């Protein structure tokens, strides 16, 4: 039984019901005085409570996909890249293309099949969302992702065209399921593009939690998980090796909610040569240690510099501002980060640019972020450059085929001008 399957939820609920029934049935026998009876009552109550909590936790995890498998729950994640993958085309048949050591490979559709409102039918008309796993060449990380490809990606007129990219990051302990089902990243982008309010853009939904259950934020932990390297180097390299995406930073944006929004701002400000546009929905502006993160910055003389480097207010005060555009969103009433957001907006200086979404009211939850999504995506899309270069004819992909070649066969990108 999979951790997120309905069968697991039903089994755990049944076990909880049985334990409650046994507790009621056995209680008269355990009501007598004596050490054994007291220990029996404590044991029965404890077991019943544990099963009820476990059943509730399984239901909650199945609904929000905090952990996708039993191995992930217990921290046993796969870090070994797969050798050979047979890719299938989008018409249901095999293309005959085998890519050894591909950095993006097909993954299970178990979570994807539970997302409502995804495009179906002909991808050249409606677009397509793929379930994949991204393999970090430098970090060895294997992270699941959903990739939304717009209809134009499959159309003959765009067969050699590269596309801008927006990377969407979940909060902690969120998952790509949350991005797709509750934040509705691909559904919102698809609707905006269909209505002509957003240019064709590839949306990549991924989680920054690369070492679950630990929350590593977007930090390269000394002697530990290298999250920033994965998201700023491995992820773009992997996507460029497989999909027709822009190679210049002007075609790349990153966004997220909660700690994912914090991560988005961190990535852009610390790596402006990778991401030139960022949006943070209800973000923090400083990363600090807490019980979920452990020691993120190590010890010794370099700790202070590492802590300051992930404090965005400190960076704006002491370092040159990067040439990027950022959006921050925070509700005036109902969210605690409003004063910090105003301070961040005030601290931004040229050549960095900032805009904001500041609703009168809203909570730190998906209904608030869903309200902010259309405006966020439209603004981000206006900042991104639609790549002007195209893939060479000798590596042009077949119609409807996104996984076209192994990493290392791309040409040198041409220069472009940001909007």
């Amino acid at each position: 039984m999979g951790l997120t399957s309905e069968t697991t939820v039903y089994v755990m609920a049944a076990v909880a019901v049985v334990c409650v029934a046994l507790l009621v049935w056995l209680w008269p026998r355990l009501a007598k005085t004596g050490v054994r009876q007291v220990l029996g009552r404590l044991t029965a109550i404890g077991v019943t409570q544990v099963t009820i909590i476990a059943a509730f936790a399984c239901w909650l995890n199945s609904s929000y996909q905090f952990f996708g498998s039993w191995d992930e729950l217990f921290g046993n994640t796969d870090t070994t890249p797969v050798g050979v993958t047979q890719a299938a085309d989008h018409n249901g048949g095999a293309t005959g293309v085998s890519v050894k050591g591909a950095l993006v490979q097909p993954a299970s559709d178990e979570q994807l099949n539970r997302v409502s409102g995804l495009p179906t039918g002909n991808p050249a008309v409606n677009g397509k969302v793929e379930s994949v796993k991204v393999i970090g060449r430098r970090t060895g990380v294997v992270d699941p992702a959903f990739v939304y490809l717009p209809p134009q990606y499959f159309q003959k007129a765009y067969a050699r065209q590269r596309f801008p990219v927006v990377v969407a990051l979940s909060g902690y302990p969120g998952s790509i399921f949350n991005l797709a089902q509750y934040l509705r990243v691909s559904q919102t982008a698809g609707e905006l593009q269909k209505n002509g309010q957003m240019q064709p853009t590839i949306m990549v939904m991924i989680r920054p939690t690369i070492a679950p259950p630990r929350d590593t934020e977007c930090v390269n932990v000394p002697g530990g998980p290298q999250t920033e390297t994965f998201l700023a180097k491995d992820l773009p390299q992997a996507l460029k090796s497989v999909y027709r995406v822009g190679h210049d930073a002007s075609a790349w944006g990153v966004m997220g909610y909660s700690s994912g929004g914090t991560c988005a701002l961190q990535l852009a400000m610390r790596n402006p040569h990778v991401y030139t546009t960022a949006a943070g929905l209800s973000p923090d502006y400083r990363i600090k240690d807490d019980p979920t993160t452990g020691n993120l910055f190590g010890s010794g003389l370099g700790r202070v510099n590492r802590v300051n480097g992930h404090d965005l207010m400190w960076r704006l005060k002491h370092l040159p501002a990067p040439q990027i555009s950022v959006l921050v969103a925070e509700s005036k009433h109902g969210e605690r980060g409003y004063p910090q957001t105003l301070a961040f907006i005030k601290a931004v200086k040229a050549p960095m640019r900032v805009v904001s979404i500041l609703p009168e009211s809203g909570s730190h939850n998906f209904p608030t972020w869903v309200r902010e999504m259309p405006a966020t995506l439209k603004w981000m899309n206006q900042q991104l450059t639609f790549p002007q270069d195209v893939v060479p004819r000798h590596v042009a992909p077949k119609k409807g085929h996104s996984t076209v070649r192994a990493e290392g066969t791309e040409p040198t990108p041409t220069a472009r001008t940001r909007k």
Side-chain angles (χ1 to χ4, degrees), residues 74 129 199 277 303:
F74 294 109
V129 178
Q199 64 186 342
T277 302
R303 176 178 170 84

Side-chain angles (χ1 to χ4, degrees), residues 241-362:
S241 73
V242 173
Y243 294 104
R244 302 195 317 273
V245 296
H247 281 209
D248 191 79
S250 63
W252 285 73
V254 57
M255 63 163 293
Y257 65 88
S258 190
S259 63
T262 304
C263 185
L265 298 180
Q266 293 272 341
L267 284 171
M269 290 188 65
R270 292 173 56 87
N271 303 275
H273 58 288
V274 179
Y275 299 104
T276 56
T277 302
L281 309 182
S282 306
D284 289 322
Y285 302 97
R286 178 168 67 96
I287 292 177
K288 55 185 179 180
D289 293 340
D290 64 35
T292 67
T293 66
N295 185 354
L296 292 174
F297 304 105
S299 57
L301 297 177
R303 176 178 170 84
V304 173
N305 289 335
R306 289 190 288 270
V307 170
N308 288 339
H310 287 278
D311 183 336
L312 300 188
M313 298 299 292
W314 185 91
R315 295 183 69 90
L316 288 172
K317 182 177 181 180
H318 296 92
L319 301 177
Q323 189 169 348
I324 61 173
S325 298
V326 300
L327 177 150
V328 290
E330 192 85 23
S331 300
K332 296 179 182 179
H333 304 286
E335 294 192 90
R336 63 184 181 182
Y338 185 69
Q340 291 77 18
T341 295
L342 292 183
F344 176 81
I345 294 171
K346 185 177 180 180
V348 170
K349 54 191 176 183
M352 183 174 169
R353 296 182 299 168
V354 62
V355 299
S356 60
I357 299 176
L358 305 173
E360 282 295 326
S361 61

Side-chain angles (χ1 to χ4, degrees), residues 20-277:
V20 171
L22 287 174
L23 177 64
V24 173
W25 182 61
L26 293 173
W27 192 256
R29 301 183 184 183
L30 300 173
K32 300 177 182 180
T33 58
V35 175
R36 292 179 60 184
Q37 285 74 15
V38 171
L39 292 177
R41 289 197 295 270
L42 291 175
T43 301
I45 292 172
V47 170
T48 302
Q49 289 182 334
V50 168
T51 56
I52 292 173
I53 293 172
F56 176 76
C58 283
W59 169 80
L60 191 66
N61 184 70
S62 179
S63 299
Y64 292 95
Q65 302 284 310
F66 297 131
F67 300 96
S69 67
W70 294 104
D71 283 338
E72 188 176 300
L73 176 65
F74 294 109
N76 300 320
T77 54
D78 180 16
T79 60
T80 304
V82 179
V84 178
T85 295
Q86 176 76 16
D89 68 18
H90 301 287
N91 297 318
T95 62
V97 178
S98 296
V99 182
K100 185 175 183 179
L103 301 180
V104 178
Q105 300 189 8
S108 169
D109 287 337
E110 179 184 346
Q111 293 190 65
L112 191 62
N113 291 337
R114 300 181 60 207
V115 178
S116 61
L118 295 180
T120 58
N122 186 353
V125 177
N126 302 314
K128 181 179 177 64
V129 178
E130 298 184 337
S131 177
V132 301
K133 53 185 175 183
V134 178
I135 300 169
R137 170 163 288 180
R138 298 168 181 80
T139 60
V141 169
V142 179
D143 210 22
F146 294 152
V147 179
Y148 166 76
L149 302 170
Q152 291 82 356
Y153 193 91
F154 305 95
Q155 296 171 5
K156 185 176 181 180
Y158 293 83
R160 296 174 55 227
Q161 179 66 59
R162 292 196 176 102
F163 292 80
V165 183
V166 172
V167 175
L169 303 173
S170 65
Y172 176 84
S175 68
I176 56 176
F177 179 82
N178 291 352
L179 290 166
Q181 176 67 13
Y182 299 108
L183 195 59
R184 305 190 71 76
V185 171
S186 56
Q187 298 91 322
T188 304
E191 191 65 27
L192 291 173
Q193 294 176 36
K194 180 179 179 181
N195 296 334
Q197 297 177 288
M198 184 176 175
Q199 64 186 342
T201 303
I202 293 175
M203 308 294 299
V204 179
M205 292 160 272
I206 198 165
R207 60 181 187 180
T209 308
I210 66 170
R214 185 180 185 183
D215 178 15
T216 55
E217 298 285 337
C218 277
V219 175
N220 281 344
V221 181
Q226 303 294 289
T227 313
E228 183 175 16
T229 296
F230 175 73
L231 293 171
K233 295 182 179 180
D234 284 346
L235 177 62
Q237 179 189 32
L239 295 173
K240 290 173 184 178
S241 73
V242 173
Y243 294 104
R244 302 195 317 273
V245 296
H247 281 209
D248 191 79
S250 63
W252 285 73
V254 57
M255 63 163 293
Y257 65 88
S258 190
S259 63
T262 304
C263 185
L265 298 180
Q266 293 272 341
L267 284 171
M269 290 188 65
R270 292 173 56 87
N271 303 275
H273 58 288
V274 179
Y275 299 104
T276 56
T277 302

